[in-house]
Coordinates of all heavy atoms in Angstrom, one line a residue:
S1 N 0.8 -1.2 0.0 CA 0.0 0.0 0.0 C 0.9 1.3 0.0 O 0.5 2.3 -0.5 CB -0.9 0.0 1.2 OG -0.2 0.1 2.4
T2 N 2.1 1.2 0.5 CA 3.0 2.3 0.5 C 3.4 2.6 -0.9 O 3.5 3.8 -1.3 CB 4.2 2.0 1.4 OG1 3.9 1.4 2.6 CG2 5.0 3.3 1.6
A3 N 3.6 1.6 -1.7 CA 4.0 1.9 -3.1 C 2.9 2.6 -3.8 O 3.1 3.5 -4.6 CB 4.3 0.5 -3.8
N4 N 1.6 2.2 -3.6 CA 0.5 2.9 -4.2 C 0.4 4.3 -3.8 O 0.0 5.2 -4.6 CB -0.8 2.1 -3.9 CG -0.9 0.8 -4.7 OD1 -0.2 0.6 -5.7 ND2 -1.8 -0.1 -4.2
A5 N 0.6 4.6 -2.5 CA 0.6 6.0 -2.0 C 1.6 6.8 -2.7 O 1.4 7.9 -3.2 CB 0.8 6.0 -0.5
A6 N 2.8 6.3 -2.9 CA 3.8 7.0 -3.7 C 3.4 7.2 -5.1 O 3.7 8.3 -5.7 CB 5.2 6.2 -3.6
E7 N 2.7 6.2 -5.7 CA 2.3 6.4 -7.1 C 1.2 7.5 -7.2 O 1.2 8.3 -8.1 CB 1.7 5.1 -7.6 CG 2.7 4.0 -7.9 CD 3.7 4.5 -9.0 OE1 3.2 5.0 -10.0 OE2 4.9 4.2 -8.9
D8 N 0.4 7.5 -6.2 CA -0.7 8.5 -6.2 C -0.2 10.0 -6.1 O -0.7 10.9 -6.7 CB -1.7 8.3 -5.0 CG -2.5 7.0 -5.2 OD1 -2.5 6.5 -6.4 OD2 -3.1 6.6 -4.2
D9 N 1.0 10.1 -5.4 CA 1.6 11.4 -5.2 C 2.4 11.8 -6.4 O 2.7 13.0 -6.6 CB 2.5 11.5 -4.0 CG 1.7 11.4 -2.7 OD1 0.5 11.6 -2.8 OD2 2.2 11.0 -1.6
A10 N 2.8 10.9 -7.2 CA 3.7 11.1 -8.4 C 3.2 12.2 -9.3 O 4.0 13.1 -9.6 CB 3.9 9.8 -9.2
P11 N 2.0 12.3 -9.7 CA 1.5 13.4 -10.6 C 1.6 14.7 -9.9 O 1.8 15.7 -10.6 CB 0.1 13.0 -10.9 CG -0.1 11.6 -10.6 CD 0.9 11.3 -9.5
N12 N 1.6 14.8 -8.6 CA 1.6 16.1 -7.9 C 3.1 16.6 -7.8 O 3.3 17.7 -7.4 CB 1.0 15.9 -6.5 CG -0.5 15.6 -6.6 OD1 -1.1 16.0 -7.6 ND2 -0.9 14.8 -5.6
R13 N 4.1 15.7 -8.0 CA 5.5 16.2 -7.9 C 5.8 17.3 -8.9 O 6.6 18.1 -8.7 CB 6.4 15.0 -8.2 CG 6.6 14.2 -7.0 CD 7.7 13.2 -7.2 NE 7.2 11.9 -6.8 CZ 7.4 10.8 -7.5 NH1 8.2 10.7 -8.5 NH2 6.9 9.7 -7.0
Y14 N 5.1 17.2 -10.1 CA 5.4 18.2 -11.2 C 4.3 19.2 -11.2 O 3.3 19.0 -11.8 CB 5.5 17.5 -12.5 CG 6.6 16.4 -12.4 CD1 6.2 15.1 -12.3 CD2 7.9 16.7 -12.5 CE1 7.2 14.0 -12.2 CE2 8.9 15.7 -12.4 CZ 8.5 14.4 -12.2 OH 9.4 13.4 -12.2
S15 N 4.4 20.2 -10.4 CA 3.3 21.2 -10.2 C 3.2 22.1 -11.4 O 4.1 22.1 -12.3 CB 3.6 22.1 -9.0 OG 4.8 22.9 -9.2
R16 N 2.1 22.8 -11.5 CA 1.9 23.7 -12.6 C 3.0 24.8 -12.6 O 3.4 25.2 -13.7 CB 0.5 24.4 -12.4 CG 0.1 25.3 -13.4 CD -1.3 25.9 -13.2 NE -2.3 24.8 -13.2 CZ -3.0 24.4 -14.2 NH1 -2.8 25.0 -15.4 NH2 -3.9 23.5 -14.1
T17 N 3.5 25.2 -11.5 CA 4.6 26.1 -11.4 C 5.8 25.6 -12.2 O 6.4 26.4 -13.0 CB 4.9 26.4 -10.0 OG1 3.8 26.7 -9.2 CG2 5.9 27.6 -9.9
D18 N 6.1 24.4 -12.0 CA 7.3 23.8 -12.7 C 7.1 23.8 -14.2 O 7.9 24.2 -15.0 CB 7.5 22.4 -12.3 CG 8.0 22.3 -10.8 OD1 8.5 23.3 -10.3 OD2 7.8 21.2 -10.3
R19 N 5.8 23.5 -14.6 CA 5.5 23.5 -16.1 C 5.6 24.9 -16.6 O 6.1 25.2 -17.7 CB 4.2 22.8 -16.3 CG 4.2 21.4 -16.1 CD 3.0 20.7 -16.6 NE 1.8 21.1 -16.0 CZ 1.2 20.5 -14.9 NH1 1.7 19.4 -14.5 NH2 0.1 21.0 -14.4
T20 N 5.0 25.9 -15.8 CA 5.0 27.3 -16.3 C 6.5 27.8 -16.4 O 6.8 28.5 -17.4 CB 4.2 28.1 -15.3 OG1 2.9 27.6 -15.1 CG2 4.1 29.6 -15.7
T21 N 7.3 27.4 -15.4 CA 8.7 27.9 -15.5 C 9.3 27.3 -16.7 O 10.1 28.0 -17.4 CB 9.4 27.4 -14.2 OG1 8.8 27.9 -13.1 CG2 10.8 27.9 -14.2
Y22 N 9.1 26.0 -17.0 CA 9.7 25.4 -18.1 C 9.2 26.1 -19.4 O 10.0 26.3 -20.3 CB 9.4 23.9 -18.2 CG 10.0 23.1 -19.3 CD1 11.4 22.8 -19.2 CD2 9.4 22.9 -20.5 CE1 12.0 22.1 -20.3 CE2 10.0 22.2 -21.5 CZ 11.3 21.9 -21.4 OH 11.9 21.2 -22.4
S23 N 8.0 26.4 -19.5 CA 7.4 27.1 -20.7 C 8.0 28.4 -20.8 O 8.3 28.8 -21.9 CB 5.9 27.2 -20.6 OG 5.3 25.9 -20.5
R24 N 8.2 29.1 -19.7 CA 8.8 30.4 -19.8 C 10.3 30.3 -20.3 O 10.7 31.1 -21.1 CB 8.9 31.1 -18.3 CG 9.4 32.5 -18.4 CD 9.4 33.2 -17.0 NE 8.3 32.8 -16.1 CZ 8.4 32.3 -14.9 NH1 9.6 32.0 -14.4 NH2 7.3 32.0 -14.2
Y25 N 11.0 29.3 -19.8 CA 12.4 29.2 -20.4 C 12.4 28.9 -21.8 O 13.2 29.3 -22.6 CB 13.1 28.1 -19.6 CG 13.5 28.5 -18.2 CD1 13.3 27.6 -17.1 CD2 14.0 29.7 -17.9 CE1 13.7 27.9 -15.8 CE2 14.3 30.1 -16.6 CZ 14.2 29.2 -15.6 OH 14.5 29.5 -14.3
S26 N 11.4 28.1 -22.3 CA 11.2 27.7 -23.7 C 11.0 29.0 -24.5 O 11.6 29.2 -25.6 CB 10.1 26.8 -23.9 OG 10.4 25.6 -23.2
R27 N 10.1 29.9 -24.0 CA 9.9 31.1 -24.7 C 11.1 32.0 -24.8 O 11.4 32.6 -25.8 CB 8.7 31.9 -24.1 CG 7.3 31.3 -24.4 CD 6.3 32.3 -24.2 NE 5.2 32.1 -23.3 CZ 5.0 31.3 -22.2 NH1 5.9 30.5 -21.9 NH2 4.0 31.2 -21.5
D28 N 11.8 32.1 -23.6 CA 13.0 32.9 -23.6 C 14.1 32.4 -24.6 O 14.7 33.1 -25.3 CB 13.7 32.9 -22.2 CG 12.8 33.6 -21.2 OD1 11.9 34.4 -21.6 OD2 13.1 33.4 -20.0
A29 N 14.2 31.0 -24.7 CA 15.1 30.4 -25.7 C 14.7 30.8 -27.1 O 15.5 31.1 -28.0 CB 15.1 28.9 -25.5
N30 N 13.4 30.8 -27.4 CA 12.9 31.2 -28.7 C 13.2 32.6 -29.1 O 13.5 32.9 -30.2 CB 11.3 31.0 -28.8 CG 11.0 29.5 -28.8 OD1 11.8 28.7 -29.2 ND2 9.8 29.2 -28.3
S31 N 13.1 33.5 -28.1 CA 13.4 34.9 -28.4 C 14.8 35.1 -28.7 O 15.2 36.1 -29.3 CB 12.9 35.8 -27.3 OG 13.7 35.5 -26.1
S32 N 15.7 34.2 -28.3 CA 17.1 34.3 -28.5 C 17.5 33.7 -29.8 O 18.7 33.5 -30.1 CB 17.9 33.8 -27.4 OG 17.7 32.4 -27.3
G33 N 16.6 33.3 -30.7 CA 17.0 32.8 -32.0 C 16.7 31.3 -32.3 O 17.0 30.8 -33.3
S34 N 15.9 30.6 -31.4 CA 15.5 29.2 -31.7 C 14.5 29.2 -32.8 O 13.7 30.1 -32.9 CB 14.9 28.6 -30.4 OG 14.4 27.3 -30.7
S35 N 14.6 28.2 -33.7 CA 13.7 28.1 -34.8 C 12.4 27.4 -34.5 O 11.5 27.4 -35.3 CB 14.4 27.4 -36.0 OG 14.7 26.1 -35.6
I36 N 12.3 26.9 -33.3 CA 11.1 26.1 -32.9 C 10.1 27.1 -32.3 O 10.5 27.7 -31.3 CB 11.3 25.0 -32.0 CG1 12.3 24.0 -32.6 CG2 10.0 24.2 -31.6 CD1 12.8 22.9 -31.7
P37 N 8.9 27.2 -32.8 CA 7.9 28.2 -32.1 C 7.5 27.7 -30.7 O 7.4 26.5 -30.5 CB 6.6 28.1 -33.1 CG 7.0 27.3 -34.2 CD 8.3 26.6 -33.9
S38 N 7.3 28.6 -29.9 CA 7.0 28.3 -28.5 C 5.7 27.5 -28.3 O 5.6 26.6 -27.5 CB 6.9 29.5 -27.6 OG 5.8 30.4 -28.0
N39 N 4.7 27.8 -29.2 CA 3.4 27.0 -29.1 C 3.7 25.5 -29.5 O 3.0 24.6 -28.9 CB 2.3 27.6 -29.9 CG 2.6 27.7 -31.4 OD1 3.8 27.4 -31.8 ND2 1.7 28.0 -32.2
A40 N 4.6 25.3 -30.4 CA 5.0 23.9 -30.7 C 5.6 23.2 -29.5 O 5.3 22.0 -29.2 CB 5.9 23.8 -31.9
L41 N 6.5 23.9 -28.8 CA 7.1 23.3 -27.6 C 6.1 23.1 -26.5 O 6.1 22.0 -25.9 CB 8.2 24.3 -27.1 CG 9.5 24.4 -27.9 CD1 10.4 25.5 -27.4 CD2 10.2 23.1 -28.0
E42 N 5.1 24.0 -26.3 CA 4.1 23.8 -25.3 C 3.2 22.6 -25.7 O 2.9 21.9 -24.8 CB 3.3 25.1 -25.2 CG 4.0 26.2 -24.5 CD 3.3 27.5 -24.5 OE1 2.1 27.6 -25.0 OE2 3.9 28.5 -24.1
K43 N 2.9 22.5 -26.9 CA 2.1 21.3 -27.4 C 2.9 20.0 -27.1 O 2.3 19.0 -26.7 CB 1.7 21.4 -28.9 CG 0.6 22.4 -29.1 CD 0.3 22.5 -30.6 CE -0.8 23.6 -30.9 NZ -1.1 23.7 -32.3
K44 N 4.2 20.0 -27.4 CA 5.0 18.9 -27.2 C 5.1 18.5 -25.7 O 4.9 17.3 -25.3 CB 6.4 19.1 -27.7 CG 7.3 17.9 -27.6 CD 6.9 16.8 -28.5 CE 7.9 15.6 -28.4 NZ 7.4 14.5 -29.2
I45 N 5.2 19.6 -24.8 CA 5.2 19.4 -23.4 C 3.9 18.7 -22.9 O 3.9 17.8 -22.1 CB 5.5 20.7 -22.6 CG1 6.9 21.1 -22.9 CG2 5.2 20.5 -21.2 CD1 7.2 22.5 -22.4
E46 N 2.8 19.3 -23.4 CA 1.4 18.7 -23.0 C 1.3 17.3 -23.5 O 0.8 16.4 -22.8 CB 0.3 19.6 -23.6 CG 0.2 20.9 -23.0 CD -0.8 21.9 -23.7 OE1 -1.5 21.4 -24.6 OE2 -0.9 23.0 -23.3
E47 N 1.8 17.0 -24.7 CA 1.7 15.6 -25.2 C 2.6 14.7 -24.3 O 2.1 13.6 -24.0 CB 2.3 15.6 -26.7 CG 2.3 14.3 -27.3 CD 3.0 14.3 -28.7 OE1 2.9 15.3 -29.4 OE2 3.6 13.3 -29.0
L48 N 3.7 15.1 -24.0 CA 4.6 14.3 -23.1 C 4.0 14.2 -21.7 O 4.1 13.1 -21.1 CB 6.0 14.9 -23.0 CG 6.8 14.9 -24.3 CD1 8.1 15.7 -24.2 CD2 7.2 13.5 -24.7
E49 N 3.4 15.2 -21.2 CA 2.7 15.1 -19.9 C 1.6 14.0 -20.0 O 1.4 13.3 -19.0 CB 2.2 16.4 -19.4 CG 3.3 17.3 -19.0 CD 2.8 18.7 -18.6 OE1 1.7 19.1 -19.0 OE2 3.6 19.5 -18.0
R50 N 0.8 14.0 -21.0 CA -0.3 13.1 -21.2 C 0.3 11.7 -21.3 O -0.2 10.7 -20.7 CB -1.1 13.4 -22.4 CG -2.1 14.5 -22.3 CD -3.1 14.6 -23.4 NE -2.5 14.8 -24.7 CZ -2.2 15.9 -25.2 NH1 -2.5 17.0 -24.6 NH2 -1.6 16.0 -26.4
E51 N 1.4 11.5 -22.0 CA 2.0 10.2 -22.2 C 2.6 9.8 -20.8 O 2.4 8.6 -20.5 CB 3.2 10.3 -23.2 CG 3.8 9.0 -23.6 CD 4.9 9.1 -24.6 OE1 4.7 10.0 -25.5 OE2 5.8 8.3 -24.6
L52 N 3.2 10.7 -20.1 CA 3.7 10.4 -18.7 C 2.6 9.9 -17.8 O 2.7 8.9 -17.1 CB 4.4 11.6 -18.1 CG 5.0 11.4 -16.8 CD1 6.1 10.3 -16.8 CD2 5.6 12.7 -16.3
A53 N 1.4 10.6 -17.9 CA 0.3 10.2 -17.0 C -0.2 8.8 -17.4 O -0.5 8.0 -16.5 CB -0.9 11.2 -17.2
K54 N -0.2 8.5 -18.7 CA -0.6 7.1 -19.1 C 0.3 6.1 -18.6 O 0.0 5.0 -18.2 CB -0.7 7.1 -20.7 CG -1.9 7.7 -21.3 CD -1.9 7.6 -22.8 CE -3.0 8.5 -23.4 NZ -2.9 8.5 -24.9
E55 N 1.7 6.4 -18.7 CA 2.7 5.5 -18.2 C 2.6 5.2 -16.7 O 2.8 4.1 -16.2 CB 4.1 5.9 -18.6 CG 4.3 5.9 -20.1 CD 4.3 4.5 -20.7 OE1 4.6 3.5 -20.1 OE2 3.9 4.4 -21.9
R56 N 2.3 6.3 -16.0 CA 2.1 6.1 -14.6 C 0.9 5.3 -14.2 O 1.0 4.5 -13.3 CB 2.0 7.5 -13.9 CG 3.3 8.3 -13.8 CD 3.2 9.5 -13.0 NE 4.5 10.1 -12.8 CZ 4.8 11.4 -12.9 NH1 3.8 12.2 -13.2 NH2 6.0 11.8 -12.8
Q57 N -0.2 5.5 -15.0 CA -1.4 4.6 -14.8 C -1.0 3.2 -15.0 O -1.4 2.3 -14.3 CB -2.5 5.1 -15.6 CG -3.2 6.3 -15.2 CD -4.3 6.8 -16.1 OE1 -4.3 6.4 -17.3 NE2 -5.2 7.6 -15.6
E58 N -0.3 2.9 -16.1 CA 0.1 1.6 -16.5 C 1.0 1.0 -15.4 O 0.8 -0.2 -15.0 CB 0.8 1.6 -17.9 CG 1.3 0.2 -18.3 CD 0.2 -0.8 -18.6 OE1 -1.0 -0.5 -18.5 OE2 0.6 -1.9 -18.9
N59 N 1.9 1.8 -14.9 CA 2.8 1.3 -13.9 C 2.0 1.0 -12.6 O 2.3 -0.1 -12.0 CB 3.8 2.4 -13.5 CG 4.9 2.0 -12.6 OD1 5.4 0.8 -12.7 ND2 5.4 2.8 -11.8
A60 N 1.1 1.8 -12.2 CA 0.2 1.5 -11.1 C -0.5 0.2 -11.3 O -0.7 -0.6 -10.3 CB -0.7 2.7 -10.8
R61 N -1.1 0.0 -12.5 CA -1.8 -1.2 -12.8 C -0.9 -2.4 -12.7 O -1.3 -3.4 -12.1 CB -2.4 -1.1 -14.2 CG -3.3 -2.2 -14.6 CD -3.8 -2.1 -16.0 NE -2.7 -2.4 -17.0 CZ -2.3 -3.6 -17.3 NH1 -2.9 -4.7 -16.8 NH2 -1.4 -3.8 -18.2
L62 N 0.3 -2.3 -13.2 CA 1.2 -3.5 -13.1 C 1.7 -3.7 -11.7 O 1.8 -4.9 -11.3 CB 2.4 -3.2 -14.0 CG 2.1 -3.2 -15.5 CD1 3.4 -2.7 -16.3 CD2 1.7 -4.5 -16.0
M63 N 1.8 -2.7 -10.9 CA 2.2 -2.9 -9.5 C 1.1 -3.6 -8.7 O 1.3 -4.5 -8.0 CB 2.5 -1.5 -8.8 CG 3.7 -0.8 -9.3 SD 5.2 -1.7 -8.8 CE 5.2 -1.3 -7.0
K64 N -0.2 -3.2 -9.0 CA -1.3 -3.9 -8.4 C -1.4 -5.4 -8.8 O -1.6 -6.2 -8.0 CB -2.6 -3.1 -8.8 CG -3.9 -3.8 -8.4 CD -4.2 -3.5 -6.9 CE -5.5 -4.0 -6.5 NZ -5.6 -5.2 -5.8
M65 N -1.2 -5.6 -10.1 CA -1.2 -7.0 -10.6 C -0.1 -7.8 -9.9 O -0.3 -8.9 -9.5 CB -0.9 -7.0 -12.1 CG -2.2 -6.7 -12.9 SD -1.8 -6.7 -14.6 CE -1.2 -8.3 -14.9
T66 N 1.1 -7.2 -9.7 CA 2.2 -7.9 -9.0 C 1.9 -8.2 -7.6 O 2.1 -9.3 -7.1 CB 3.5 -7.0 -9.1 OG1 3.8 -6.8 -10.4 CG2 4.7 -7.7 -8.4
Q67 N 1.3 -7.2 -6.9 CA 0.8 -7.4 -5.5 C -0.2 -8.6 -5.4 O -0.1 -9.4 -4.5 CB 0.3 -6.2 -4.9 CG 1.4 -5.1 -4.6 CD 0.8 -3.8 -4.2 OE1 -0.4 -3.6 -4.3 NE2 1.6 -2.9 -3.8
D68 N -1.1 -8.5 -6.3 CA -2.2 -9.6 -6.3 C -1.5 -11.0 -6.6 O -1.9 -12.0 -5.9 CB -3.2 -9.3 -7.4 CG -4.1 -8.1 -7.1 OD1 -4.0 -7.6 -6.0 OD2 -4.8 -7.6 -8.0
K69 N -0.6 -11.0 -7.5 CA 0.1 -12.3 -7.8 C 0.9 -12.8 -6.6 O 0.9 -14.0 -6.2 CB 1.0 -12.2 -9.0 CG 0.3 -11.8 -10.3 CD -0.2 -12.9 -11.0 CE -0.8 -12.4 -12.3 NZ -1.7 -13.3 -13.0
D70 N 1.6 -11.8 -5.9 CA 2.4 -12.2 -4.7 C 1.5 -12.7 -3.6 O 1.8 -13.7 -2.9 CB 3.2 -11.0 -4.2 CG 4.3 -10.6 -5.1 OD1 4.7 -11.4 -5.9 OD2 4.9 -9.5 -4.9
E71 N 0.3 -12.1 -3.4 CA -0.7 -12.6 -2.4 C -1.1 -14.0 -2.8 O -1.2 -14.9 -1.9 CB -1.9 -11.7 -2.3 CG -1.6 -10.4 -1.7 CD -2.8 -9.4 -1.6 OE1 -3.9 -9.9 -1.8 OE2 -2.6 -8.2 -1.4
L72 N -1.4 -14.3 -4.0 CA -1.9 -15.6 -4.5 C -0.8 -16.6 -4.3 O -1.0 -17.7 -3.8 CB -2.3 -15.5 -6.0 CG -2.7 -16.9 -6.6 CD1 -3.9 -17.4 -5.8 CD2 -3.0 -16.7 -8.0
I73 N 0.5 -16.2 -4.6 CA 1.6 -17.2 -4.4 C 1.7 -17.5 -2.9 O 1.9 -18.7 -2.5 CB 2.9 -16.5 -4.9 CG1 2.9 -16.5 -6.4 CG2 4.1 -17.3 -4.4 CD1 4.0 -15.7 -7.1
G74 N 1.6 -16.5 -2.0 CA 1.6 -16.8 -0.6 C 0.5 -17.7 -0.1 O 0.8 -18.7 0.6
K75 N -0.7 -17.5 -0.6 CA -1.8 -18.4 -0.2 C -1.6 -19.8 -0.7 O -1.8 -20.8 0.0 CB -3.1 -17.8 -0.8 CG -3.6 -16.6 -0.1 CD -4.8 -16.0 -0.7 CE -5.2 -14.7 0.0 NZ -6.4 -14.1 -0.7
L76 N -1.1 -19.9 -2.0 CA -0.8 -21.3 -2.5 C 0.3 -22.0 -1.8 O 0.2 -23.2 -1.5 CB -0.5 -21.1 -4.0 CG -1.7 -20.8 -4.9 CD1 -1.2 -20.5 -6.3 CD2 -2.7 -21.8 -4.9
K77 N 1.3 -21.3 -1.3 CA 2.4 -21.8 -0.5 C 1.8 -22.4 0.8 O 2.2 -23.5 1.2 CB 3.5 -20.8 -0.3 CG 4.4 -20.6 -1.5 CD 5.5 -19.6 -1.1 CE 6.4 -19.4 -2.3 NZ 7.5 -18.5 -2.0
E78 N 1.0 -21.6 1.4 CA 0.4 -22.0 2.6 C -0.5 -23.3 2.4 O -0.4 -24.2 3.2 CB -0.5 -20.9 3.2 CG 0.2 -19.8 3.8 CD -0.7 -18.6 4.3 OE1 -1.9 -18.8 4.3 OE2 -0.2 -17.5 4.6
E79 N -1.2 -23.3 1.3 CA -2.1 -24.5 1.0 C -1.1 -25.7 0.8 O -1.5 -26.8 1.2 CB -2.9 -24.2 -0.2 CG -3.9 -25.3 -0.5 CD -4.9 -24.9 -1.5 OE1 -5.1 -23.7 -1.8 OE2 -5.5 -25.8 -2.1
I80 N -0.1 -25.5 0.1 CA 0.9 -26.7 -0.2 C 1.4 -27.2 1.1 O 1.5 -28.4 1.4 CB 2.0 -26.2 -1.1 CG1 1.5 -26.0 -2.5 CG2 3.2 -27.2 -1.1 CD1 2.5 -25.3 -3.5
D81 N 1.8 -26.3 2.1 CA 2.3 -26.7 3.4 C 1.3 -27.5 4.1 O 1.6 -28.5 4.7 CB 2.7 -25.4 4.2 CG 4.0 -24.8 3.7 OD1 4.8 -25.5 3.0 OD2 4.3 -23.6 4.1
L82 N 0.0 -27.0 4.1 CA -1.0 -27.8 4.7 C -1.2 -29.2 4.1 O -1.4 -30.1 4.8 CB -2.4 -27.0 4.7 CG -2.5 -25.7 5.5 CD1 -3.8 -25.0 5.2 CD2 -2.4 -26.2 7.0
L83 N -1.2 -29.2 2.8 CA -1.4 -30.5 2.1 C -0.2 -31.5 2.4 O -0.4 -32.7 2.5 CB -1.5 -30.3 0.6 CG -2.8 -29.6 0.2 CD1 -2.7 -29.3 -1.3 CD2 -4.0 -30.5 0.5
N84 N 1.0 -30.9 2.5 CA 2.2 -31.7 2.8 C 2.1 -32.3 4.3 O 2.7 -33.4 4.5 CB 3.5 -30.9 2.7 CG 3.8 -30.8 1.2 OD1 3.4 -31.6 0.3 ND2 4.6 -29.7 0.9
R85 N 1.5 -31.6 5.2 CA 1.4 -32.1 6.5 C 0.4 -33.3 6.6 O 0.4 -34.2 7.2 CB 0.9 -31.0 7.5 CG 2.0 -30.0 7.7 CD 1.5 -28.9 8.6 NE 2.3 -27.7 8.5 CZ 2.0 -26.5 8.9 NH1 0.9 -26.3 9.5 NH2 2.8 -25.5 8.7

C-alpha cells in the first residue's frame, strides 16, 4: 500500500509552477533565436505530460497485478504446506 501511495503522489510532484517555469524558459530560448515556435514546444510538453500520465497509470496497474500475484503465491504456498502435513 505504501507503493500505491507513492504512485498517487507522483503526478503532484510536477506542479503547474514547474511546467510554467519550463514554458517560460522555452519562450526565452525562442526569443534568442531558436527556430522552434513556443506553441509547438508547449504542445509537445502537453503531449509528453499526457504520455507520462498514461505510463504512470500503467505502472500503477502493473504494481497492483504484481501485489495480487504475490498474495496468491503466498496463499498457494500455505495451502501446499497444509497438504504436505
Side-chain angles (χ1 to χ4, degrees):
S1 64
T2 314
N4 285 341
E7 286 298 317
D8 292 343
D9 292 342
N12 297 329
R13 275 188 233 144
Y14 305 101
S15 67
R16 183 177 299 268
T17 310
D18 293 339
R19 290 192 296 266
T20 304
T21 303
Y22 184 79
S23 296
R24 186 180 321 123
Y25 288 138
S26 298
R27 280 199 242 20
D28 291 345
N30 288 335
S31 63
S32 65
S34 175
S35 61
I36 302 173
S38 63
N39 61 348
L41 288 175
E42 289 173 4
K43 285 181 183 178
K44 184 66 175 174
I45 290 169
E46 289 173 7
E47 178 186 328
L48 290 172
E49 287 174 345
R50 282 192 300 273
E51 189 176 328
L52 181 60
K54 287 179 187 176
E55 292 297 328
R56 285 189 173 135
Q57 285 179 339
E58 176 68 2
N59 190 34
R61 186 183 71 81
L62 292 172
M63 291 290 291
K64 174 77 170 103
M65 283 177 55
T66 301
Q67 289 173 350
D68 292 347
K69 301 273 185 198
D70 287 344
E71 288 177 18
L72 179 59
I73 288 169
K75 289 177 183 177
L76 291 173
K77 283 182 179 179
E78 289 175 10
E79 189 172 337
I80 289 170
D81 286 343
L82 287 173
L83 291 172
N84 283 335
R85 290 180 196 163

